């Protein structure tokens, strides 16, 4: 009797799989019936991101407690909010992981999401809040968020869908290059109008990386890069305040009391940490010497309080994260997943380089957050949602 029941169950399962395959549902939905274990990159990605997020929570508490007390609020105020955002980001990542990434091939769904996010970024230009020189935040009731963070995901999904469906036409400018340039101009242009030049750089970097990944003719990639460089020069000449702030790193000694003050103080904090660090909670940078120590300059706090160990952990962790993202892209089961993984890896890699490069005075300071570490809800939620997409691609990578 037991054997008959087992044979019946197997028969039902086989017939179900057969129907799914005939209708294409199993392939389109990355069938959840697979019992194979995810590749090692899947688990390493979770471990690395969880470790960086945990470090970020500790350092946000350390770097924000003094500022909170001076403002009359609880020393735990920013830490509590960051903890909530980590929870919301984890939920967003879980939803991005559970929903097969193939659904983003649906033009209507992707188009609707993209239009909504772009519209929110356009609304920011008129009703957004000015914070640290940029009008990039939108208030909806008691909530404040930065729409450009979510526009990064929308851009990656749009480009991945476009290139994967037209990869045989990459040499035809009107089929691939023109739509990519329109997407780049729209997203980076909105950020530039918001005076959020750091995000504009990220959008440009993502598109250039995806153009290179798509095997687009190098002359087109080079021409696009040259065009972006010229536009950047024009923006710097037009926006005097932005020019002073972005180019202060070229002569920090001369600008240490004005436009280069933040970076100069960050370097002093890093030097104060030395090899072993001052100890978590014992740094001096958060006592008002380094503005936004809990956000844009949190790397300086980590370097001061944790020394070379913390520095190596952060830089090494992000290097591994990007490396795993590249491996996931190479092993993806289809081009759509490969471009999603490649775009997300480019996003994190470029943003980390720009943030840390700015903090240590090697690149312009653009006001970008350090993913998973800096205080901020929009950045945390969008970054963890992107990790969910990356894990989604990794889960069904080629064995």
């Amino acid at each position: 009797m037991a054997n008959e029941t087992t044979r019946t169950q197997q028969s039902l399962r086989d017939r179900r799989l057969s129907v799914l395959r005939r209708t294409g549902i199993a392939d389109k939905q990355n069938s959840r019936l697979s019992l194979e274990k995810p590749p090692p990159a899947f688990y390493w990605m979770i471990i690395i991101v969880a470790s960086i997020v945990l470090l970020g929570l500790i350092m946000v508490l350390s770097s924000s407690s003094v500022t909170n007390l001076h403002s009359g609020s609880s020393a735990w105020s920013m830490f509590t909010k960051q903890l909530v955002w980590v929870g919301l980001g984890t939920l967003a990542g879980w939803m991005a992981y559970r929903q097969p990434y193939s659904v983003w091939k649906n033009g209507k769904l992707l188009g609707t999401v993209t239009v909504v996010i772009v519209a929110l970024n356009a609304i920011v230009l008129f009703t957004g809040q000015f914070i640290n020189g940029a009008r990039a935040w939108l208030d909806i009731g008691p909530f404040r968020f930065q729409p450009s963070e979510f526009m990064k995901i929308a851009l990656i999904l749009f480009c991945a869908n476009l290139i994967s469906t037209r990869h045989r036409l990459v040499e035809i400018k009107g089929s691939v290059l023109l739509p990519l340039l329109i997407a780049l101009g729209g997203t980076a242009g909105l950020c530039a109008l918001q005076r959020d030049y750091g995000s504009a750089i990220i959008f440009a970097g993502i598109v250039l990386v995806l153009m290179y990944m798509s095997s687009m003719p190098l002359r087109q990639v080079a021409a696009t890069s040259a065009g972006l460089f010229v536009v950047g020069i024009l923006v710097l000449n037009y926006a005097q305040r932005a020019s002073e702030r972005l180019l202060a790193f070229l002569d920090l000694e001369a600008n240490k009391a004005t436009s280069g003050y933040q970076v100069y103080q960050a370097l002093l904090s890093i030097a104060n940490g030395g090899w072993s660090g001052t100890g978590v909670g014992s740094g001096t940078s958060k006592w008002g010497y380094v503005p936004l120590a809990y956000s844009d300059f949190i790397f300086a706090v980590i370097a001061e309080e944790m020394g070379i160990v913390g520095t190596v952990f952060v830089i090494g962790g992000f290097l591994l994260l990007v490396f795993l993202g590249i491996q996931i892209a190479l092993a993806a089961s289809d081009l759509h997943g490969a471009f999603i993984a490649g775009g997300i890896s480019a996003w994190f890699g470029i943003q980390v380089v720009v943030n840390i490069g700015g903090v240590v005075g090697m690149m312009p300071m653009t006001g970008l957050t350090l993913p998973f570490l800096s205080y901020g809800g929009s950045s945390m939620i969008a970054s963890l949602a992107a990790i969910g997409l990356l894990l989604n691609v990794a889960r069904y990578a080629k064995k």
Side-chain angles (χ1 to χ4, degrees):
M1 186 67 179
N3 291 334
E4 291 181 3
T5 302
T6 301
R7 284 197 299 269
T8 301
Q9 290 175 344
Q10 291 176 343
S11 176
L12 288 172
R13 183 177 184 276
D14 291 340
R15 282 182 297 192
R16 185 185 178 200
L17 283 171
S18 177
V19 171
L20 288 173
R21 291 192 183 101
R22 286 201 305 271
T23 58
I25 296 176
D27 294 331
K28 293 179 181 179
Q29 299 300 320
N30 296 328
S31 177
R32 301 288 169 176
L33 297 174
S34 173
L35 299 178
E36 296 182 15
K37 291 183 178 180
F42 178 91
Y43 298 106
W44 280 112
M45 182 76 66
I46 295 175
I47 292 171
I48 292 169
V49 172
S51 300
I52 296 176
V53 169
L54 180 59
L55 175 64
L57 287 170
I58 295 171
M59 299 315 299
V60 164
L61 176 61
S62 175
S63 59
S64 66
S65 56
V66 175
T67 301
N68 289 331
L69 289 174
H70 282 177
S71 64
S73 58
S74 168
W76 297 79
S77 177
M78 289 187 181
F79 170 80
T80 303
K81 291 180 181 178
Q82 188 78 343
L83 192 60
V84 171
W85 291 330
V86 168
L88 292 175
T90 302
L91 177 60
W94 174 252
M95 293 172 64
Y97 167 70
R98 292 296 300 171
Q99 187 68 36
Y101 64 83
S102 58
V103 302
W104 298 110
K105 289 184 177 181
N106 185 318
K108 291 184 178 180
L109 175 62
L110 180 58
T112 301
V113 172
T114 301
V115 168
V116 170
I117 293 177
V118 171
L120 289 173
N121 278 273
I123 293 173
V124 168
L125 297 175
F126 304 98
T127 63
Q129 298 296 317
F130 268 109
I131 300 177
N132 300 321
R135 174 175 262 176
W137 284 265
L138 189 64
D139 287 343
I140 299 181
F143 302 102
R144 171 176 294 171
F145 69 102
Q146 190 174 358
S148 60
E149 290 292 338
F150 302 96
M151 192 161 62
K152 295 172 185 175
I153 299 178
L155 176 68
I156 291 170
L157 292 174
F158 171 81
C159 292
N161 187 43
L162 173 73
I163 299 173
S164 64
T165 55
R166 303 184 183 183
H167 66 281
R168 297 182 183 275
L169 307 173
V170 291
E171 294 190 5
I172 303 176
K173 296 179 181 179
S175 296
V176 179
L177 178 62
L178 183 58
L180 286 179
L181 291 180
I182 293 174
L184 171 58
T187 54
L190 280 172
C191 290
L193 291 174
Q194 295 170 6
R195 302 183 188 178
D196 183 7
Y197 302 106
S199 292
I201 292 173
I202 302 303
F203 285 113
I206 290 172
V207 172
L208 286 175
V209 169
L210 290 177
M211 288 173 65
Y212 180 79
M213 282 182 61
S214 69
S215 298
M216 187 173 289
L218 289 178
R219 63 181 182 276
Q220 295 183 13
V221 180
T224 303
S225 302
L228 290 172
F229 178 78
V230 172
V231 171
I233 296 298
L234 293 175
V235 170
L236 288 177
N237 289 331
Y238 175 76
Q240 181 178 359
R241 184 181 182 279
S243 178
E244 293 175 353
R245 182 166 60 90
L246 293 175
L247 300 180
F249 79 104
L250 295 175
D251 191 354
L252 279 178
E253 187 64 31
N255 299 304
K256 64 181 181 181
T258 54
S259 55
Y261 173 79
Q262 291 176 308
V263 176
Y264 186 79
Q265 291 297 323
L267 288 175
L268 293 179
S269 298
I270 294 172
N272 185 48
W275 288 91
S276 59
T278 61
V280 176
S282 302
T284 60
S285 57
K286 60 196 176 188
W287 289 82
Y289 297 105
V290 179
L292 300 175
Y294 48 83
S295 182
D296 302 351
F297 288 86
I298 198 166
F299 180 76
V301 180
I302 294 173
E304 181 183 17
E305 298 189 355
M306 299 184 67
I308 193 68
V309 174
T311 301
V312 170
F313 178 84
V314 171
I315 296 177
F318 280 115
L319 283 175
L320 281 173
L321 183 65
V322 174
F323 173 77
L324 291 173
I326 294 172
Q327 295 305 307
I328 291 170
L330 293 174
S333 58
D334 58 12
L335 286 175
H336 186 222
F339 287 118
I340 290 176
I344 293 172
S345 302
W347 165 14
F348 290 139
I350 296 170
Q351 186 156 330
V352 168
V353 169
V354 172
N355 177 274
I356 295 180
V359 170
V360 301
M362 296 182 65
M363 297 177 66
M365 191 62 212
T366 58
L368 285 173
T369 58
L370 191 55
F372 311 113
L373 289 168
S374 295
Y375 173 80
S378 300
S379 175
M380 181 63 73
I381 295 172
S383 297
L384 288 175
I387 290 297
L389 276 172
L390 202 53
L391 292 174
N392 199 330
V393 178
R395 179 65 179 84
Y396 300 98
K398 292 180 291 188
K399 305 299 181 183

